[in-house]
Amino acid sequence: EEVAQRVRRLAPRSRVVVVGHGVDEATFHEGVQPSKQPSQAVYVGTASEWHGASVLVDALAIARRRGAQITTEFVGQGSEWAALQTRVREHGLGDLVHFRSSVSGDEAASLIRGARVALASLQEGVGYDFAVPTKVYSALAVGTPVIYSGPAPVRSMINDNGLGSGCPRDPEAVADALMGLTQSEPTEGARAGLAHWAEENVSGRAVAQRAIRALHDAAELPIERRP
């Protein structure tokens, strides 16, 4: 919506409809088989300076000091990858937190489906607050709740719809969420509910349907009213 507002300011006569973007439901869906060697928490995707994923590592360290041994896997790449690995070593989390390179979509889906929670973050105040990390949608599509540290609208979307825990950029708050959501495996009913929400709201099919409706509405406008 923030991008749409910018377009409206630049072109006041334009007719703008936000359809969002969606996840490939052919790869990420409720029926994905979970990994045979799952971690309790997973971060799958890019970790750049825009994402600020260090807050997640700091939260895992806090959780450990509180007595929670949360096994975690970071899967992907990015400009912050090496810095995250260094931070893990500094916190002494090497026995719990592991890194691996990017994997195929099918393997990523399996890793996320096997976890109790998926992790995502976005740095606030660096000009990228409007972004939506697609790793959030991928996790929900396979039925895994999300812990997200970052700004609205993603944070409020998660909290308002019971999709996991949306947190500010605060390691203590993220640690609270980690300890709460990794205590037990999500029920099949809970996973099905998350996957259904994703299918209805953030699947590629749902986005395409919104785009089709917008095109039909525009085509029915009188000529003189079209931008």
Side-chain angles (χ1 to χ4, degrees):
E1 183 57 37
E2 290 183 13
V3 176
Q5 291 173 6
R6 175 65 65 86
V7 173
R8 294 182 187 112
R9 288 196 295 269
L10 294 172
R13 296 184 60 193
S14 63
R15 185 170 183 266
V16 185
V17 179
V18 178
V19 298
H21 62 282
V23 66
D24 174 16
E25 66 270 23
T27 300
F28 299 91
H29 56 86
E30 184 182 357
V32 168
Q33 292 300 307
S35 170
K36 295 180 180 179
Q37 295 180 313
S39 295
Q40 291 172 287
V42 293
Y43 179 103
V44 179
T46 303
S48 71
E49 63 272 21
W50 302 108
H51 295 93
S54 60
V55 68
L56 305 173
V57 176
D58 294 344
L60 288 164
I62 292 171
R64 181 167 202 167
R65 290 198 296 270
R66 295 179 185 175
Q69 308 290 317
I70 301 172
T71 58
T72 305
E73 193 161 17
F74 283 79
V75 183
Q77 47 79 42
S79 58
E80 293 289 291
W81 210 247
L84 291 176
Q85 293 173 309
T86 298
R87 208 175 192 97
V88 165
R89 289 194 296 270
E90 291 173 347
H91 282 306
L93 294 172
D95 59 327
L96 295 176
V97 182
H98 300 96
F99 292 81
R100 60 189 297 191
S101 300
S102 299
V103 297
S104 68
D106 289 338
E107 188 172 354
S110 178
L111 289 169
I112 299 168
R113 176 58 180 80
R116 295 180 180 180
V117 66
L119 306 177
S121 62
L122 194 67
Q123 186 81 269
E124 297 188 52
V126 294
Y128 213 54
D129 290 18
F130 63 85
V132 179
T134 51
K135 55 179 70 69
V136 172
Y137 292 171
S138 300
L140 297 174
V142 301
T144 299
V146 175
I147 293 176
Y148 169 78
S149 174
V154 178
R155 187 167 75 199
S156 55
M157 177 193 77
I158 290 172
N159 290 332
D160 292 347
N161 293 284
L163 308 176
S165 181
C167 307
R169 189 170 174 77
D170 174 16
E172 294 283 351
V174 178
D176 289 341
L178 276 165
M179 295 181 71
L181 288 175
T182 58
Q183 290 299 308
S184 59
E185 177 75 22
T187 66
E188 287 304 312
R191 287 189 179 275
L194 294 175
H196 177 73
W197 185 93
E199 182 179 1
E200 292 293 311
N201 293 277
V202 297
S203 67
R205 184 180 295 108
V207 172
Q209 289 172 344
R210 291 196 290 269
I212 289 169
R213 286 195 296 270
L215 289 169
H216 277 221
D217 291 345
E220 292 174 357
L221 285 174
I223 294 294
E224 62 273 14
R225 289 186 54 198
R226 294 180 187 173

